[in-house]
Amino acid sequence: MDTVIQSSTEKPALLKVLSGEVCHPPPIWLMRQAGRYLPEYLEVRADAGSFLELCYNPELAAQVTLQPIIRFGFDAAILFSDILVIPDALGQKVSFVQNEGPVLDPLKDFEAVKSLRREGFLEHLAPVFETVKLVRSGLDPNVALIGFCGAPWTVATYMVGGRGSPDQAAARGFAYQDPDGFQYLIDLLVEVSVEYLLAQLNAGAQVLQIFDSWAGNLPEGEFARWCLKPAKQIVSGVRAKAPDVPIIGFPRGVGPLYPVYAKETGVNAVSCDTSLPLKFIKNQLQHHVAVQGNLDPLLLVSGGAALETRIDEILHELGDGPLIFNLGHGIVPQTPIKHVEQLIARVRG
Ligand code: CP3
């Protein structure tokens, strides 16, 4: 076998770690790695019209997905899209307002939930699957392609609240006042998320991540009902058709409930938020699943010696087990590019 074929058939490091192997150096990618800290992203974004138009334009979305791979050589690309294309595809009006974030027509009651349209859901998202195909064909075989969806709870917080909020009060209130109506919404989101993820896999995604960014505000009973159970249903729904697909779960902010999530959902890896202590990750999580994380995105903004020290601590504590180096949450727009370069050099050095 010549060297070209060997390298093209080698398994990407991300997939090795997700099957439990240890890689030195660990694979690295960053949540929100395609985004506003990159001048080349801002250029394409300006040409695309609105943010949603960018998500539904396969050529431009593929270009933006590949930008951080071309610039930094990350070990994985993540599909450029957003978790809120799901409500958009269900017929709820979604827009992204500059400096404000997503704005939706809030679902005020069960009547509004029942008016969501299931028909044409996958057809509406066809451009996203086209993006996956284009990215996969433009990507080196050693770089893994990650598809994703928002977890039902996190997506529901935007659908019910109409926008982001620090405490997700609207969705929590809805769930307390009308648990059956809220269950209907969560069940619908589980069902369409499974379809959406399977279509991403069919188009060429190799790994899936489920983002539950707002799981951290739920009391334990609500955590079990609105975060744990839907994640478990999505994992088993996807695995019924694609038994071997590696899945990463991100129940951000759930602290001591992380191990329960890791064990009961059946994910291959958990993405650890910034607040989780490294010893806890090592002893309570990494013995059972691969771990991803958990550098503070704001430390990547500050840079300097503190950044290097923390990178070394993460590598020292977690580097001898299955580790995917990442941030504890998404990269922020004010991140200097040279700090990202410094991070990658340190992790690979
Ligand atoms: O590079 C990647 O990670 C892939 C693309 C991606 C985006 N959003 C692009 C995006 C992914 C995986 C997401 C996930 C997402 N979207 C989450 C879960 C992860 C997390 O960060 O907690 C959530 C909660 C959303 C919803 C969302 N989308 C919000 C709250 C906002 C506004 C806040 C912000 O950062 O501006 C967005 C907009 C958004 N999604 C941008 C990008 C690059 C910025 C929009 C712009 O370019 O104007």
Side-chain angles (χ1 to χ4, degrees), residues 190-246:
V190 166
E191 189 188 311
V192 296
S193 299
V194 169
E195 269 185 36
Y196 181 50
L197 292 174
L198 285 170
Q200 292 180 42
L201 288 177
N202 279 337
Q206 297 154 293
V207 174
L208 300 172
Q209 176 151 334
I210 304 170
F211 286 91
D212 213 347
S213 305
W214 298 118
N217 268 334
L218 294 169
E220 57 190 319
E222 279 61 33
F223 162 81
R225 186 166 182 185
W226 308 128
C227 168
L228 191 61
K229 188 169 168 223
K232 203 169 163 175
Q233 290 172 316
I234 291 176
V235 170
S236 61
V238 168
R239 294 245 173 90
K241 298 266 170 60
D244 300 323
V245 60

Side-chain angles (χ1 to χ4, degrees), residues 246-259:
I247 303 179
I248 306 169
F250 183 35
R252 190 170 75 94
V254 304
L257 297 170
Y258 255 95

